[in-house]
Amino acid sequence: MVNAAGVRHWVKFHLRTEQGVENLTDDQAGGLISGDRESHQRDLYEATERGEFPSWKLFVQVMPEADAAGYRFHPFDLTKVWSKADYPQVEAGVLTLDRNPENYFADVEQAAFTPADVVPGISFSPDKMLQGRLFSYGDAARYRLGVNHHRIPVNHPHGARLVNSYHRDGAMRVDGNQGGVPGVQPNNFGRWTEQPAYAEPAQAVGATADRFDFREDDSNYYEQPGNLFRLMTGDQQQTLFDNTARAIKGARRETVERHVGNCAKADPACGEGVCKACEAIGAL
């Protein structure tokens, strides 16, 4: 995020369910899906129809730009979390689904999302997964829905009758296309003029994007998984052991042993539990 003074902060967005968190065992999931493979979508649809609108609270963690260079974890590694003790989660709003689509094709099948579409004040971090998605999501929408997919009502800004951009013409452009207004700048009509007020401060690519090579800068792969494991109850840990054993059964012995070793580096009890679960079902 970039504020009105041109100061950049790195931000993580969190949507936390207000419905609570519950999980199914493999057996429960198998029984449920075998009877109704659309169970999750049905539950969402029927709850919304009953007026039991699902909602999620939006929180943000805010890191000053300079902190990234010395933070104890690679801050742009999406497999890592920022400690809430270091950067508290600040409540920013609520997302509520308060109606079901009236026309599923128009409102859902034609929906297109890309992180490249931003509003002033929000821009892009050096997160390598994000950088890849900035072009690939838009490419997927152009392939699936056409070059003018942003003109489909579900994808068009609700508060703007006209969106000025250098993109014009193309297949299925049926809105008049701004008539004969020149699509070049400068022009005599005051259209498509530069707006330097919305420019963000430059990033030092060599010192920011290039610096964060997680293999060189961060070899701490086990602390956070260990912390998560230690937050689990005994029953949750046993479920983890059993699920892991079933999932890895059939892999080469060397692969299973390597995984058990990785679990032990996170927490010795985790490695021991996974090992015993694998032995119990013949996976090791």
Side-chain angles (χ1 to χ4, degrees), residues 189-209:
F189 299 87
R191 305 292 286 276
W192 288 285
T193 57
E194 294 183 357
Q195 296 177 286
Y198 293 110
E200 62 179 280
Q203 290 190 34
V205 174
T208 304

Side-chain angles (χ1 to χ4, degrees), residues 114-169:
T114 169
D117 289 342
V118 293
V119 297
I122 297 181
S123 189
F124 313 115
S125 78
D127 176 347
K128 293 181 179 180
M129 181 68 77
L130 171 64
Q131 291 293 324
R133 287 171 168 167
L134 290 177
F135 70 86
S136 64
Y137 276 49
D139 270 2
R142 284 184 286 273
Y143 175 81
R144 181 169 62 91
L145 299 168
V147 70
N148 282 303
H149 65 274
H150 59 289
R151 301 296 305 175
I152 300 173
V154 71
N155 299 322
H156 193 272
H158 282 244
R161 182 186 65 83
L162 178 67
V163 178
N164 279 327
S165 77
Y166 286 106
H167 176 79
R168 300 182 74 187
D169 306 323

